[in-house]
């Protein structure tokens, strides 16, 4: 109860900070914000010195957030799940997927002239399962592969079934290290399907393949394809048909501390993170991609992000349009 009051009090403090001058915060106010954040995120540190060290990082992130939020931007930063880590720790712990090899890529580029809806949100159409937290495992590729398969399965069969990320970590890549979305889709095809999340739940670490569970093929696919590359219109046409897996660069501090709105700040094209594009739209004058992430509900817009769409660079914001890939599932009756 007391902690709830602290949170309420802190939310009130924080809501006054959304407009101009950079707030001047007393040490007392910052320590209250910190305590509230610890409760909200269920954080318990091993010892006092760790708690103090994390407080200093939290304070530095808060300063960065306050400065950004004072400016006139299309998005705000927040004391999200990553507020107690440095940008270096964030990079080292949560980023690290590889772009696919060049040369083996074929895609249909004939989609980009088609008329498609101006906006779509596959959550509203029932094709998206709740956001989860990948934890200390570089498994964004597994979350993305699974999210695209869950979606196409719902679109084709009408059933939304949460599928196993752990099976991909354990039986396909056999590791928590960075990997490829398309390789996982290839595995699901070759394996004859994939097990459910319920039967083969996510553990955020490599355990070793359970071959019995890996034979429980709850959902099948017929293959995978590359969506139009470096072509945001073609990508939009594909996303209007189904959610698509993509790679982005999530390297910066703004990405780390993203709160809400359309992310328009500079980011590079050294893709190090896999996400699922589950829609697109326009807010004011800014077009965006709607992406599902795997960093839990307490990052971004309840686990989602809106990323600027239709920029000058053909590779898209953070390189999102460079490696889009999606599973294929035909409408046939499985035996
Ligand atoms: C406090 O905890 C941190 C990590 O949680 C650890 O690295 C450090 O050694 C601990 N310090 C003491 C004095 O136990
Ligand atoms: C904020 O930015 C928008 C878009 O760039 C602009 O139209 C608006 O005038 C700006 N507002 C202020 C207060 O500078
Ligand atoms: C593998 O899964 C089966 C069936 O769910 C279970 O009975 C078995 O204990 C599991 N094996 C290991 C090594 O965890």
């Amino acid at each position: 109860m007391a902690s709830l009051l602290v949170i309420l009090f802190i939310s009130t403090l924080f809501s006054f900070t959304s407009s101009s001058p950079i707030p001047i915060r007393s040490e007392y106010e910052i320590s209250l914000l910190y305590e509230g954040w610890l409760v909200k995120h269920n954080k318990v540190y091993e010892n006092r010195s760790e708690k103090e060290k994390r407080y200093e990082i939290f304070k530095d992130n808060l300063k960065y957030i306050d400065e950004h939020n004072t400016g006139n931007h299309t998005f705000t930063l927040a004391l999200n799940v990553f507020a107690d880590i440095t940008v270096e720790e964030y990079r080292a712990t949560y980023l690290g997927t590889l772009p696919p090899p060049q040369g083996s890529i074929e895609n249909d580029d004939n989609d980009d002239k088609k008329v498609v809806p101006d906006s779509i949100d596959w959550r509203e159409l029932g094709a998206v399962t709740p956001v989860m937290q990948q934890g200390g495992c570089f498994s964004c590729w597994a979350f993305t592969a699974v999210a695209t398969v869950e979606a196409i399965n719902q679109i084709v069969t009408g059933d939304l079934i949460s599928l196993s990320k752990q099976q991909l970590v354990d039986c396909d890549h056999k590791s928590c290290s960075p990997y490829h979305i398309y390789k996982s889709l290839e595995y699901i095809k070759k394996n004859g399907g994939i097990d459910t999340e319920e039967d083969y739940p996510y553990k955020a670490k490599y355990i070793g393949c359970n071959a019995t569970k890996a034979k429980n093929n709850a959902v099948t696919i017929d293959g995978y394809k590359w969506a139009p590359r470096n072509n945001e219109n073609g990508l939009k046409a594909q996303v209007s048909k189904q959610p698509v897996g993509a790679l982005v660069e999530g390297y910066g501090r703004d990405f780390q501390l993203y709160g809400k709105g359309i992310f328009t700040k500079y980011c590079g094209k050294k893709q190090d993170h896999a996400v699922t594009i589950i829609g697109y739209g326009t807010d004011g004058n800014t077009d965006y991609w709607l992406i599902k992430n795997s960093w839990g509900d307490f990052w971004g817009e309840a686990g989602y992000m809106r990323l600027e769409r239709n920029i000058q660079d053909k590779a898209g914001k953070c390189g999102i349009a460079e490696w889009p890939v999606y599973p294929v599932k035909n409408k046939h009756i499985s035996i």
Side-chain angles (χ1 to χ4, degrees):
M1 192 58 202
S3 53
L4 186 66
L5 286 175
V6 170
I7 291 176
L8 285 174
F9 176 52
I10 284 159
S11 325
T12 321
L13 280 179
F14 212 57
S15 63
F16 283 119
T17 67
S18 53
S19 61
S20 2
I22 298 175
I24 298 159
R25 299 184 188 275
S26 67
E27 202 68 35
Y28 176 64
E29 183 187 347
I30 299 171
S31 69
L32 276 184
L33 282 170
Y34 187 50
E35 292 300 330
W37 184 89
L38 293 174
V39 171
K40 180 174 174 186
H41 295 269
N42 232 334
K43 282 269 176 185
V44 183
Y45 300 117
E46 221 175 290
N47 53 54
R48 181 140 201 104
S49 71
E50 183 68 15
K51 188 177 172 187
E52 277 159 16
K53 178 181 154 195
R54 294 290 146 198
Y55 175 70
E56 291 307 317
I57 295 166
F58 178 90
K59 206 163 122 177
D60 189 57
N61 280 334
L62 177 60
K63 186 164 171 277
Y64 187 83
I65 291 165
D66 279 342
E67 278 167 15
H68 172 92
N69 290 353
T70 303
N72 185 16
H73 301 287
T74 55
F75 69 105
T76 55
L77 301 180
L79 290 170
N80 65 19
V81 64
F82 299 140
D84 69 336
I85 58 175
T86 65
V87 69
E88 290 78 20
E89 288 170 323
Y90 156 77
R91 287 166 188 164
T93 316
Y94 295 99
L95 301 175
T97 188
L98 305 165
Q102 307 264 358
S104 62
I105 316 293
E106 286 172 50
N107 59 263
D108 12 303
D109 257 331
N110 49 10
D111 261 354
D112 59 329
K113 300 284 187 303
K114 284 197 191 127
V115 178
V116 300
D118 288 337
S119 70
I120 193 162
D121 180 345
W122 283 103
R123 291 174 299 190
E124 289 167 2
L125 299 165
V128 182
T129 60
V131 167
M132 285 175 64
Q133 165 65 276
Q134 68 184 64
C137 176
F138 292 112
S139 53
C140 54
W141 48 273
F143 277 86
T144 299
V146 155
T148 61
V149 173
E150 288 167 347
I152 193 63
N153 185 60
Q154 192 276 340
I155 292 164
V156 171
T157 70
D159 297 328
L160 182 63
I161 304 167
S162 192
L163 299 172
S164 178
K165 281 67 70 179
Q166 193 63 36
Q167 182 179 345
L168 298 178
V169 169
D170 281 356
C171 309
D172 176 18
H173 185 39
K174 302 180 175 69
S175 160
C176 262
S177 64
Y179 194 54
H180 303 284
I181 307 164
Y182 78 99
K183 291 268 189 195
S184 286
L185 296 175
E186 217 163 68
Y187 163 85
I188 296 170
K189 163 86 163 55
K190 282 199 188 127
N191 187 57
I194 182 167
D195 198 2
T196 60
E197 170 67 23
E198 191 184 0
D199 190 56
Y200 201 158
Y202 186 63
K203 302 288 187 204
K205 61 181 182 195
Y206 171 66
I207 305 218
C209 187
N210 185 318
T212 313
K213 289 185 192 288
K215 287 196 192 92
N216 292 338
N217 292 319
V219 166
T220 62
I221 57 171
D222 294 300
Y224 74 91
K225 276 189 173 171
W226 296 97
R229 296 188 56 217
N230 299 316
N231 172 350
E232 289 194 283
N233 264 332
L235 181 55
K236 178 187 174 193
Q238 191 56 45
V239 175
S240 76
K241 294 180 196 156
Q242 68 184 106
V244 170
L247 302 182
V248 294
E249 178 178 312
Y251 197 66
R253 204 170 178 186
D254 300 299
F255 210 100
Q256 174 190 353
L257 299 170
Y258 168 71
K260 61 175 195 279
I262 303 175
F263 188 93
T264 47
K265 227 168 170 180
Y266 172 80
C267 70
K269 292 185 280 184
K270 292 198 191 78
Q271 291 94 339
D272 51 17
H273 188 52
V275 294
T276 312
I277 309 174
I278 57 140
Y280 57 81
T282 304
D283 191 357
N285 296 320
T286 314
D287 297 333
Y288 63 83
W289 295 112
L290 187 57
I291 69 174
K292 183 188 188 189
N293 207 343
S294 47
W295 294 339
D297 296 339
F298 292 134
W299 179 86
E301 298 181 325
Y304 297 86
M305 180 187 219
R306 284 179 292 158
L307 194 61
E308 190 176 11
R309 181 168 61 92
N310 292 333
I311 66 166
Q312 286 274 318
D313 191 331
K314 283 191 180 313
K317 197 76 180 170
C318 311
I320 193 169
E322 215 174 346
W323 303 106
V325 64
Y326 62 93
V328 175
K329 185 177 175 74
N330 303 320
K331 288 189 172 77
H332 57 61
I333 296 153
S334 51
I335 309 147

